[in-house]
């Protein structure tokens, strides 16, 4: 069992990002992008490769900006550390932690980000979440809620806990509202996450589906992490999507690694503009009442046959939100709702095929059958929880109908009005 005696201010900081000539005060940058690499798991071996990609990409960022990584990986003699990414072969190590600890602990997650703001202060900050994730899916046991982001030796951080940690830093004026969170991990683009993080970031960018283990092509993506507005999120999404979609441009080693991509695969990607997520929640709540023939009452669920879902974990889940609402609503109501959706989700790139560990029957590596998805529906690359009467939704450690209520979005939806407890 890992333990930590965590000191934020108990030692002299080893190196500042950039010091003024006449004193040791770090220069205040325009933007510091913090990459939280939770790699003490089966992604550990990819950390170094992604760092090399970042070192290539750093040449494209403006002066007076910082790209800083927190690294925790499964190397027995290495403790977590914070470093600045430079063009040089070696990272510019800024701080080494004296003890190992769970990178998935939300309190320590907050302390790491606070340490980065001390080492590399800036006017604005962006956050890249690097690692494993499972969207809104959590599992209850007698010890703690688990699953969501950043598994570290079996321990996960829930998105509700992450949001509270970031809100705490904002309330203490340690960290302003983030310019963006780019989630380079699976299943993060669910509307529940967007609503939960609405007070701590301007944009949430990522994939509603699983993603390839090697994730974003950072040598191409890094410059866009220092853009603003649509240049930021369109640049990240287009670069990421096109990299995997254009199979012909992959290197021979990449083609061997991702041979399945030749079949028209890419990564569905989207952005949530959190300014409008509250409006989307209110409109969705009201529009559910206007479903054709009424929204079904417990124990019935809407007929979602052929609607694309982004994860299969013994049962389909994480259905595409936009397609669900199109299926449920009369045309006029859907058109009105969709206008709000387009404000909250101003950009996305949909792929009808993506890397997955599960087929529709479960367990088939990279073998999901996508031909059952209705290509005529209006997909929007953000998923939404829909309660169901199913063992995984109702019983045991999963009990999704109960654990999902921890998300503010589902409290706004008020599923109890349809008989779901």
């Amino acid at each position: 069992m890992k333990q930590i005696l965590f000191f934020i201010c108990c030692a002299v900081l080893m190196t500042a990002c950039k010091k003024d000539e006449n004193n040791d005060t770090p220069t205040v940058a325009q933007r510091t992008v913090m990459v939280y690499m939770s790699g003490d798991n089966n992604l550990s071996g990819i950390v170094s490769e992604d760092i090399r990609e970042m070192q290539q990409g750093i040449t494209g960022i403006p002066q007076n900006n910082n790209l800083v990584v927190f690294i925790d990986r499964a190397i027995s003699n290495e403790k977590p550390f914070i470093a600045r990414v430079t063009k040089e072969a070696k990272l510019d190590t800024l701080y080494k932690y004296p003890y190992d600890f769970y990178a998935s602990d939300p309190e320590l997650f907050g302390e790491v980000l606070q340490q980065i703001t001390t080492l590399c202060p800036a006017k604005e900050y962006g956050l890249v979440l690097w690692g494993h994730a499972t969207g809104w899916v959590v599992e209850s046991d007698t010890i703690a809620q688990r699953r969501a982001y950043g598994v570290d030796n079996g321990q996960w951080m829930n998105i509700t806990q992450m949001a509270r940690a970031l809100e705490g830093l904002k309330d203490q004026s340690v960290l302003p509202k983030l310019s963006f969170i780019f989630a380079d991990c699976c299943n993060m683009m669910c509307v529940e996450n967007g609503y939960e993080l609405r007070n701590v970031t301007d944009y949430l960018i990522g994939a509603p589906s699983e993603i390839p283990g090697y994730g974003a092509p950072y040598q191409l993506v890094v410059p866009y992490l220092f853009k603003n507005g649509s240049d930021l999120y369109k640049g990240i999404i287009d670069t990421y999507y096109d990299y995997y979609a254009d199979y012909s441009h992959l290197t021979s080693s990449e083609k061997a690694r991702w041979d399945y991509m030749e079949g028209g695969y890419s990564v569905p990607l989207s952005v949530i503009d959190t300014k409008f997520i509250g409006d989307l929640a209110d409109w969705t709540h009201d529009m559910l009442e206007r479903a054709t023939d009424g929204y079904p009452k417990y124990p019935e669920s809407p007929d979602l046959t052929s609607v694309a879902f982004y994860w299969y974990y013994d049962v389909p889940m994480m259905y595409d939100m936009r397609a669900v609402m199109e299926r449920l609503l009369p045309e006029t109501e859907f058109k009105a709702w969709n206008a709000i959706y387009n404000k909250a989700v101003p950009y996305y790139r949909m792929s009808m095929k993506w890397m997955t560990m599960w087929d529709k029957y479960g367990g088939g590596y990279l073998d999901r059958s996508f031909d059952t998805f209705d290509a005529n529906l209006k997909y929007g690359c953000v998923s939404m929880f829909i309660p169901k009467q199913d063992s995984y939704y109702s019983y045991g450690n999963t009990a999704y109908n109960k654990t999902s209520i921890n998300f503010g979005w589902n409290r706004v939806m008020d599923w109890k009005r349809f008989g779901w407890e």
Side-chain angles (χ1 to χ4, degrees):
M1 177 67 70
K2 292 183 178 181
Q3 293 182 347
I4 179 175
L5 184 57
F6 199 98
F7 297 101
I8 285 293
C9 298
C10 65
V12 176
L13 299 179
M14 297 175 61
T15 308
C17 272
K18 182 180 178 183
K19 295 180 181 179
D20 293 333
E21 293 182 0
N22 299 322
N23 58 59
D24 290 337
T25 302
T27 301
V28 177
Q30 178 60 37
R31 178 179 295 174
T32 291
V33 173
M34 307 174 289
V35 185
Y36 197 86
M37 303 188 81
S38 182
D40 197 352
N41 47 56
N42 64 350
L43 296 177
S44 180
I46 303 175
V47 171
S48 294
E49 183 166 337
D50 277 0
I51 291 296
R52 285 193 292 270
E53 291 179 359
M54 292 177 197
Q55 288 172 318
Q56 296 173 41
I58 200 71
T59 59
I61 75 169
Q63 294 293 321
N64 197 30
N65 288 276
N66 299 308
L67 181 62
V68 181
V69 290
F70 163 77
I71 296 175
D72 182 28
R73 53 187 167 183
I75 298 178
S76 59
N77 61 346
E78 179 183 275
K79 302 298 188 292
F81 65 98
I82 295 169
R84 184 170 63 96
V85 178
T86 68
K87 292 179 288 185
E88 286 71 34
K90 289 185 178 181
L91 291 171
D92 179 11
T93 300
L94 304 177
Y95 188 81
K96 292 182 179 180
Y97 289 95
Y99 299 97
D100 204 354
F101 58 91
Y102 288 116
S104 55
D105 184 305
E107 182 177 350
L108 302 181
F109 165 79
E111 291 180 352
V112 167
L113 299 188
Q114 181 172 357
Q115 181 76 295
I116 293 174
T117 65
T118 302
L119 291 162
C120 298
K123 297 175 183 178
E124 55 192 37
Y125 295 86
L127 174 63
V128 178
L129 298 174
W130 188 104
H132 286 298
T134 59
W136 55 256
V137 175
V138 295
E139 298 178 14
S140 299
D141 58 27
T142 56
I143 300 173
Q145 294 273 318
R146 53 194 174 94
R147 283 195 182 273
Y149 168 71
V151 61
D152 185 342
N153 286 274
Q155 303 296 313
W156 297 76
M157 174 171 26
N158 291 337
I159 303 304
T160 52
Q161 297 169 327
M162 178 188 293
R164 283 196 291 270
L166 291 170
E167 287 173 359
L169 295 178
K170 186 161 72 78
D171 291 344
Q172 298 168 42
S173 299
V174 171
L175 188 67
K177 189 176 186 180
L178 295 164
S179 297
F180 67 89
I181 295 176
F182 169 41
D184 191 21
C185 38
C186 297
N187 303 121
M188 281 293 286
M189 292 310 291
C190 50
V191 72
E192 295 80 15
N193 284 356
Y195 189 84
E196 209 70 22
L197 296 167
R198 68 194 184 281
N199 295 321
V200 296
T201 185
D202 292 333
Y203 300 110
L204 175 64
I205 307 162
S209 63
E210 295 162 84
I211 65 171
Y214 284 82
Y218 286 99
Q219 71 275 24
L220 303 174
V221 165
V222 163
Y224 293 104
L225 301 177
F226 296 88
K227 302 287 187 180
N228 296 297
S230 62
D231 290 337
L232 167 80
Y233 58 74
K234 286 184 177 180
I236 294 172
I237 290 172
D238 287 342
T239 302
Y240 201 150
Y241 185 97
D242 291 343
Y243 179 76
Y244 286 104
D246 193 353
Y247 183 83
S248 65
H249 288 180
L250 298 180
T251 66
S252 57
S253 62
E254 288 170 337
K255 287 180 179 179
R257 188 185 301 152
W258 306 314
D259 59 333
Y260 59 90
M261 286 289 183
E262 191 172 13
Y265 285 67
S266 191
V267 182
L269 293 156
S270 60
V271 57
I272 291 175
D273 185 335
T274 60
K275 291 194 303 293
F276 302 105
I277 196 72
D279 293 338
L280 183 62
D282 293 339
W283 272 76
T284 305
H285 170 276
D286 295 346
M287 284 296 182
L288 288 174
E289 297 277 6
R290 303 185 192 182
T292 304
D293 300 323
Y295 192 89
K297 302 290 186 180
Y298 173 87
E300 300 298 323
S301 296
D303 178 11
L304 300 180
T305 305
S306 76
V307 174
F309 52 86
Y310 293 108
W311 199 24
Y312 189 102
Y313 191 64
D314 292 305
V315 292
M317 60 182 70
M318 298 186 181
Y319 287 91
D320 187 275
M321 179 188 191
R322 192 167 179 235
V324 168
M325 297 303 286
E326 185 184 15
R327 175 68 61 85
L328 289 176
L329 297 177
E331 183 176 355
T332 302
E333 279 75 6
F334 175 72
K335 184 177 180 180
W337 176 89
N338 191 49
I340 305 301
Y341 181 86
N342 288 336
K343 290 183 178 181
V345 186
Y347 194 67
Y348 56 88
R349 295 283 298 275
M350 180 62 181
S351 173
M352 294 299 287
K353 296 182 180 182
W354 55 85
M355 175 267 171
T356 176
M357 291 290 290
W358 304 89
D359 67 13
K360 64 177 180 176
Y361 304 108
Y365 183 66
L366 301 178
D367 191 29
R368 185 197 294 263
S369 174
F370 293 89
D371 57 3
T372 58
F373 292 165
D374 184 351
N376 296 314
L377 291 171
K378 294 180 175 66
Y379 295 110
C381 295
V382 174
S383 71
M384 176 181 174
F385 170 78
I386 299 291
K388 292 183 178 181
Q389 182 66 1
D390 181 279
S391 59
Y392 273 78
Y393 278 71
S394 304
Y395 308 107
N397 283 345
T398 52
Y400 299 141
N401 292 334
K402 294 182 179 179
T403 56
S404 66
I405 201 64
N406 292 322
F407 288 90
W409 174 273
N410 287 320
R411 291 194 291 274
V412 175
M413 293 306 102
D414 187 19
W415 296 112
K416 289 184 178 181
R417 61 189 163 139
F418 303 117
W420 297 92
E421 297 293 333

